[in-house]
PDB file of all heavy atoms in Angstrom:
ATOM      1  N   MET A  73      17.861 -35.796  -3.644  1.00  0.00           N
ATOM      2  CA  MET A  73      17.604 -36.944  -4.502  1.00  0.00           C
ATOM      3  C   MET A  73      18.923 -37.581  -4.928  1.00  0.00           C
ATOM      4  O   MET A  73      19.971 -36.954  -4.881  1.00  0.00           O
ATOM      5  CB  MET A  73      16.818 -36.515  -5.753  1.00  0.00           C
ATOM      6  CG  MET A  73      15.453 -35.917  -5.461  1.00  0.00           C
ATOM      7  SD  MET A  73      14.540 -35.563  -6.978  1.00  0.00           S
ATOM      8  CE  MET A  73      14.215 -37.241  -7.558  1.00  0.00           C
ATOM      9  N   VAL A  75      20.803 -40.153  -7.988  1.00  0.00           N
ATOM     10  CA  VAL A  75      20.673 -40.626  -9.361  1.00  0.00           C
ATOM     11  C   VAL A  75      20.582 -42.147  -9.343  1.00  0.00           C
ATOM     12  O   VAL A  75      21.454 -42.827  -8.804  1.00  0.00           O
ATOM     13  CB  VAL A  75      21.872 -40.161 -10.207  1.00  0.00           C
ATOM     14  CG1 VAL A  75      21.781 -40.733 -11.608  1.00  0.00           C
ATOM     15  CG2 VAL A  75      21.935 -38.639 -10.245  1.00  0.00           C
ATOM     16  N   TYR A  85      25.449 -37.348 -17.363  1.00  0.00           N
ATOM     17  CA  TYR A  85      24.744 -36.089 -17.571  1.00  0.00           C
ATOM     18  C   TYR A  85      25.629 -35.182 -18.408  1.00  0.00           C
ATOM     19  O   TYR A  85      26.770 -34.882 -18.019  1.00  0.00           O
ATOM     20  CB  TYR A  85      24.391 -35.433 -16.235  1.00  0.00           C
ATOM     21  CG  TYR A  85      23.188 -36.081 -15.582  1.00  0.00           C
ATOM     22  CD1 TYR A  85      23.322 -37.198 -14.779  1.00  0.00           C
ATOM     23  CD2 TYR A  85      21.903 -35.577 -15.806  1.00  0.00           C
ATOM     24  CE1 TYR A  85      22.218 -37.812 -14.202  1.00  0.00           C
ATOM     25  CE2 TYR A  85      20.796 -36.175 -15.231  1.00  0.00           C
ATOM     26  CZ  TYR A  85      20.958 -37.288 -14.421  1.00  0.00           C
ATOM     27  OH  TYR A  85      19.852 -37.885 -13.865  1.00  0.00           O
ATOM     28  N   LEU A 119      20.375 -35.600 -19.725  1.00  0.00           N
ATOM     29  CA  LEU A 119      20.612 -34.216 -20.135  1.00  0.00           C
ATOM     30  C   LEU A 119      21.065 -33.318 -18.983  1.00  0.00           C
ATOM     31  O   LEU A 119      20.484 -33.330 -17.900  1.00  0.00           O
ATOM     32  CB  LEU A 119      19.326 -33.633 -20.731  1.00  0.00           C
ATOM     33  CG  LEU A 119      19.369 -32.155 -21.138  1.00  0.00           C
ATOM     34  CD1 LEU A 119      20.397 -31.932 -22.246  1.00  0.00           C
ATOM     35  CD2 LEU A 119      17.985 -31.692 -21.572  1.00  0.00           C
ATOM     36  N   PHE A 120      22.102 -32.524 -19.275  1.00  0.00           N
ATOM     37  CA  PHE A 120      22.456 -31.367 -18.455  1.00  0.00           C
ATOM     38  C   PHE A 120      22.485 -30.196 -19.426  1.00  0.00           C
ATOM     39  O   PHE A 120      23.472 -29.990 -20.128  1.00  0.00           O
ATOM     40  CB  PHE A 120      23.802 -31.567 -17.760  1.00  0.00           C
ATOM     41  CG  PHE A 120      24.124 -30.477 -16.775  1.00  0.00           C
ATOM     42  CD1 PHE A 120      23.377 -30.327 -15.615  1.00  0.00           C
ATOM     43  CD2 PHE A 120      25.175 -29.606 -16.990  1.00  0.00           C
ATOM     44  CE1 PHE A 120      23.665 -29.325 -14.694  1.00  0.00           C
ATOM     45  CE2 PHE A 120      25.483 -28.602 -16.076  1.00  0.00           C
ATOM     46  CZ  PHE A 120      24.718 -28.466 -14.927  1.00  0.00           C
ATOM     47  N   LEU A 121      21.398 -29.450 -19.488  1.00  0.00           N
ATOM     48  CA  LEU A 121      21.166 -28.490 -20.571  1.00  0.00           C
ATOM     49  C   LEU A 121      21.908 -27.182 -20.315  1.00  0.00           C
ATOM     50  O   LEU A 121      21.456 -26.319 -19.572  1.00  0.00           O
ATOM     51  CB  LEU A 121      19.665 -28.242 -20.712  1.00  0.00           C
ATOM     52  CG  LEU A 121      19.211 -27.392 -21.901  1.00  0.00           C
ATOM     53  CD1 LEU A 121      19.660 -27.998 -23.230  1.00  0.00           C
ATOM     54  CD2 LEU A 121      17.701 -27.209 -21.860  1.00  0.00           C
ATOM     55  N   ASP A 124      20.242 -23.759 -20.698  1.00  0.00           N
ATOM     56  CA  ASP A 124      19.321 -23.442 -19.607  1.00  0.00           C
ATOM     57  C   ASP A 124      20.093 -23.090 -18.340  1.00  0.00           C
ATOM     58  O   ASP A 124      19.752 -22.129 -17.640  1.00  0.00           O
ATOM     59  CB  ASP A 124      18.396 -24.627 -19.352  1.00  0.00           C
ATOM     60  CG  ASP A 124      17.371 -24.346 -18.270  1.00  0.00           C
ATOM     61  OD1 ASP A 124      16.490 -23.504 -18.485  1.00  0.00           O
ATOM     62  OD2 ASP A 124      17.469 -24.964 -17.181  1.00  0.00           O
ATOM     63  N   VAL A 125      21.141 -23.841 -18.046  1.00  0.00           N
ATOM     64  CA  VAL A 125      21.971 -23.562 -16.873  1.00  0.00           C
ATOM     65  C   VAL A 125      22.552 -22.152 -16.956  1.00  0.00           C
ATOM     66  O   VAL A 125      22.559 -21.388 -15.980  1.00  0.00           O
ATOM     67  CB  VAL A 125      23.108 -24.598 -16.758  1.00  0.00           C
ATOM     68  CG1 VAL A 125      24.092 -24.215 -15.663  1.00  0.00           C
ATOM     69  CG2 VAL A 125      22.542 -25.989 -16.485  1.00  0.00           C
ATOM     70  N   MET A 236      13.240 -33.643 -19.716  1.00  0.00           N
ATOM     71  CA  MET A 236      13.292 -32.423 -18.917  1.00  0.00           C
ATOM     72  C   MET A 236      12.981 -32.694 -17.446  1.00  0.00           C
ATOM     73  O   MET A 236      13.551 -32.045 -16.555  1.00  0.00           O
ATOM     74  CB  MET A 236      12.329 -31.391 -19.490  1.00  0.00           C
ATOM     75  CG  MET A 236      12.716 -30.878 -20.872  1.00  0.00           C
ATOM     76  SD  MET A 236      14.390 -30.178 -20.970  1.00  0.00           S
ATOM     77  CE  MET A 236      14.208 -28.735 -19.905  1.00  0.00           C
ATOM     78  N   ALA A 237      12.094 -33.649 -17.177  1.00  0.00           N
ATOM     79  CA  ALA A 237      11.783 -33.986 -15.788  1.00  0.00           C
ATOM     80  C   ALA A 237      13.018 -34.525 -15.078  1.00  0.00           C
ATOM     81  O   ALA A 237      13.313 -34.153 -13.923  1.00  0.00           O
ATOM     82  CB  ALA A 237      10.649 -35.007 -15.733  1.00  0.00           C
ATOM     83  N   ASP A 238      13.774 -35.384 -15.753  1.00  0.00           N
ATOM     84  CA  ASP A 238      14.998 -35.918 -15.157  1.00  0.00           C
ATOM     85  C   ASP A 238      16.038 -34.817 -14.983  1.00  0.00           C
ATOM     86  O   ASP A 238      16.718 -34.754 -13.954  1.00  0.00           O
ATOM     87  CB  ASP A 238      15.550 -37.049 -16.030  1.00  0.00           C
ATOM     88  CG  ASP A 238      16.789 -37.693 -15.426  1.00  0.00           C
ATOM     89  OD1 ASP A 238      16.648 -38.470 -14.471  1.00  0.00           O
ATOM     90  OD2 ASP A 238      17.909 -37.398 -15.910  1.00  0.00           O
ATOM     91  N   TYR A 239      16.157 -33.952 -15.979  1.00  0.00           N
ATOM     92  CA  TYR A 239      17.094 -32.827 -15.880  1.00  0.00           C
ATOM     93  C   TYR A 239      16.758 -31.938 -14.688  1.00  0.00           C
ATOM     94  O   TYR A 239      17.633 -31.585 -13.885  1.00  0.00           O
ATOM     95  CB  TYR A 239      17.074 -32.029 -17.180  1.00  0.00           C
ATOM     96  CG  TYR A 239      17.638 -30.633 -17.070  1.00  0.00           C
ATOM     97  CD1 TYR A 239      18.969 -30.426 -16.723  1.00  0.00           C
ATOM     98  CD2 TYR A 239      16.830 -29.526 -17.309  1.00  0.00           C
ATOM     99  CE1 TYR A 239      19.486 -29.135 -16.613  1.00  0.00           C
ATOM    100  CE2 TYR A 239      17.343 -28.245 -17.214  1.00  0.00           C
ATOM    101  CZ  TYR A 239      18.668 -28.050 -16.856  1.00  0.00           C
ATOM    102  OH  TYR A 239      19.171 -26.771 -16.747  1.00  0.00           O
ATOM    103  N   ARG A 240      15.497 -31.560 -14.549  1.00  0.00           N
ATOM    104  CA  ARG A 240      15.095 -30.699 -13.442  1.00  0.00           C
ATOM    105  C   ARG A 240      15.306 -31.384 -12.095  1.00  0.00           C
ATOM    106  O   ARG A 240      15.722 -30.750 -11.120  1.00  0.00           O
ATOM    107  CB  ARG A 240      13.623 -30.309 -13.591  1.00  0.00           C
ATOM    108  CG  ARG A 240      13.268 -29.555 -14.862  1.00  0.00           C
ATOM    109  CD  ARG A 240      13.854 -28.169 -14.899  1.00  0.00           C
ATOM    110  NE  ARG A 240      13.387 -27.451 -16.101  1.00  0.00           N
ATOM    111  CZ  ARG A 240      13.984 -26.382 -16.592  1.00  0.00           C
ATOM    112  NH1 ARG A 240      15.072 -25.891 -16.005  1.00  0.00           N
ATOM    113  NH2 ARG A 240      13.507 -25.781 -17.668  1.00  0.00           N
ATOM    114  N   ALA A 241      15.026 -32.683 -12.045  1.00  0.00           N
ATOM    115  CA  ALA A 241      15.116 -33.407 -10.773  1.00  0.00           C
ATOM    116  C   ALA A 241      16.545 -33.519 -10.266  1.00  0.00           C
ATOM    117  O   ALA A 241      16.782 -33.523  -9.051  1.00  0.00           O
ATOM    118  CB  ALA A 241      14.507 -34.798 -10.927  1.00  0.00           C
ATOM    119  N   HIS A 242      17.504 -33.596 -11.188  1.00  0.00           N
ATOM    120  CA  HIS A 242      18.880 -33.890 -10.775  1.00  0.00           C
ATOM    121  C   HIS A 242      19.879 -32.773 -11.073  1.00  0.00           C
ATOM    122  O   HIS A 242      21.079 -32.947 -10.819  1.00  0.00           O
ATOM    123  CB  HIS A 242      19.347 -35.181 -11.448  1.00  0.00           C
ATOM    124  CG  HIS A 242      18.553 -36.380 -11.053  1.00  0.00           C
ATOM    125  ND1 HIS A 242      18.580 -36.897  -9.779  1.00  0.00           N
ATOM    126  CD2 HIS A 242      17.677 -37.148 -11.754  1.00  0.00           C
ATOM    127  CE1 HIS A 242      17.777 -37.945  -9.710  1.00  0.00           C
ATOM    128  NE2 HIS A 242      17.217 -38.119 -10.888  1.00  0.00           N
ATOM    129  N   ALA A 243      19.407 -31.638 -11.568  1.00  0.00           N
ATOM    130  CA  ALA A 243      20.323 -30.549 -11.926  1.00  0.00           C
ATOM    131  C   ALA A 243      21.181 -30.118 -10.741  1.00  0.00           C
ATOM    132  O   ALA A 243      22.345 -29.743 -10.908  1.00  0.00           O
ATOM    133  CB  ALA A 243      19.545 -29.363 -12.474  1.00  0.00           C
ATOM    134  N   GLY A 244      20.632 -30.176  -9.533  1.00  0.00           N
ATOM    135  CA  GLY A 244      21.395 -29.759  -8.368  1.00  0.00           C
ATOM    136  C   GLY A 244      22.495 -30.720  -7.970  1.00  0.00           C
ATOM    137  O   GLY A 244      23.423 -30.344  -7.243  1.00  0.00           O
ATOM    138  N   GLU A 245      22.421 -31.956  -8.437  1.00  0.00           N
ATOM    139  CA  GLU A 245      23.442 -32.954  -8.120  1.00  0.00           C
ATOM    140  C   GLU A 245      24.571 -32.977  -9.148  1.00  0.00           C
ATOM    141  O   GLU A 245      25.640 -33.541  -8.885  1.00  0.00           O
ATOM    142  CB  GLU A 245      22.815 -34.347  -8.065  1.00  0.00           C
ATOM    143  CG  GLU A 245      21.756 -34.523  -6.996  1.00  0.00           C
ATOM    144  CD  GLU A 245      21.035 -35.843  -7.149  1.00  0.00           C
ATOM    145  OE1 GLU A 245      21.595 -36.868  -6.726  1.00  0.00           O
ATOM    146  OE2 GLU A 245      19.917 -35.850  -7.698  1.00  0.00           O
ATOM    147  N   VAL A 246      24.319 -32.403 -10.318  1.00  0.00           N
ATOM    148  CA  VAL A 246      25.283 -32.459 -11.419  1.00  0.00           C
ATOM    149  C   VAL A 246      26.215 -31.261 -11.343  1.00  0.00           C
ATOM    150  O   VAL A 246      25.770 -30.116 -11.326  1.00  0.00           O
ATOM    151  CB  VAL A 246      24.547 -32.497 -12.769  1.00  0.00           C
ATOM    152  CG1 VAL A 246      25.551 -32.528 -13.915  1.00  0.00           C
ATOM    153  CG2 VAL A 246      23.620 -33.712 -12.841  1.00  0.00           C
ATOM    154  N   GLN A 247      27.524 -31.534 -11.301  1.00  0.00           N
ATOM    155  CA  GLN A 247      28.513 -30.459 -11.191  1.00  0.00           C
ATOM    156  C   GLN A 247      28.749 -29.761 -12.520  1.00  0.00           C
ATOM    157  O   GLN A 247      29.190 -28.614 -12.555  1.00  0.00           O
ATOM    158  CB  GLN A 247      29.834 -31.028 -10.668  1.00  0.00           C
ATOM    159  CG  GLN A 247      29.757 -31.583  -9.253  1.00  0.00           C
ATOM    160  CD  GLN A 247      31.076 -32.178  -8.808  1.00  0.00           C
ATOM    161  OE1 GLN A 247      32.161 -31.762  -9.250  1.00  0.00           O
ATOM    162  NE2 GLN A 247      31.010 -33.171  -7.934  1.00  0.00           N
ATOM    163  N   GLY A 248      28.497 -30.455 -13.600  1.00  0.00           N
ATOM    164  CA  GLY A 248      28.743 -29.899 -14.928  1.00  0.00           C
ATOM    165  C   GLY A 248      28.759 -31.019 -15.945  1.00  0.00           C
ATOM    166  O   GLY A 248      28.508 -32.180 -15.618  1.00  0.00           O
ATOM    167  N   HIS A 251      29.202 -35.439 -16.237  1.00  0.00           N
ATOM    168  CA  HIS A 251      29.217 -35.971 -14.881  1.00  0.00           C
ATOM    169  C   HIS A 251      28.735 -37.410 -14.961  1.00  0.00           C
ATOM    170  O   HIS A 251      27.608 -37.672 -15.371  1.00  0.00           O
ATOM    171  CB  HIS A 251      28.329 -35.141 -13.962  1.00  0.00           C
ATOM    172  CG  HIS A 251      28.591 -35.349 -12.508  1.00  0.00           C
ATOM    173  ND1 HIS A 251      28.339 -34.383 -11.567  1.00  0.00           N
ATOM    174  CD2 HIS A 251      29.099 -36.416 -11.826  1.00  0.00           C
ATOM    175  CE1 HIS A 251      28.666 -34.845 -10.363  1.00  0.00           C
ATOM    176  NE2 HIS A 251      29.120 -36.082 -10.512  1.00  0.00           N
ATOM    177  N   PHE A 253      27.753 -41.040 -13.282  1.00  0.00           N
ATOM    178  CA  PHE A 253      27.209 -41.666 -12.076  1.00  0.00           C
ATOM    179  C   PHE A 253      27.175 -43.172 -12.278  1.00  0.00           C
ATOM    180  O   PHE A 253      26.702 -43.651 -13.309  1.00  0.00           O
ATOM    181  CB  PHE A 253      25.799 -41.145 -11.784  1.00  0.00           C
ATOM    182  CG  PHE A 253      25.747 -39.703 -11.370  1.00  0.00           C
ATOM    183  CD1 PHE A 253      25.745 -38.692 -12.316  1.00  0.00           C
ATOM    184  CD2 PHE A 253      25.700 -39.352 -10.026  1.00  0.00           C
ATOM    185  CE1 PHE A 253      25.698 -37.351 -11.943  1.00  0.00           C
ATOM    186  CE2 PHE A 253      25.650 -38.014  -9.641  1.00  0.00           C
ATOM    187  CZ  PHE A 253      25.654 -37.013 -10.600  1.00  0.00           C
TER     188      PHE A 253
END
Side-chain angles (χ1 to χ4, degrees):
M73 299 185 69
V75 176
Y85 282 86
L119 176 63
F120 187 67
L121 187 58
D124 182 67
V125 172
M236 294 304 294
D238 183 76
Y239 162 62
R240 300 291 185 199
H242 297 293
E245 298 171 79
V246 179
Q247 295 178 29
H251 197 153
F253 292 83

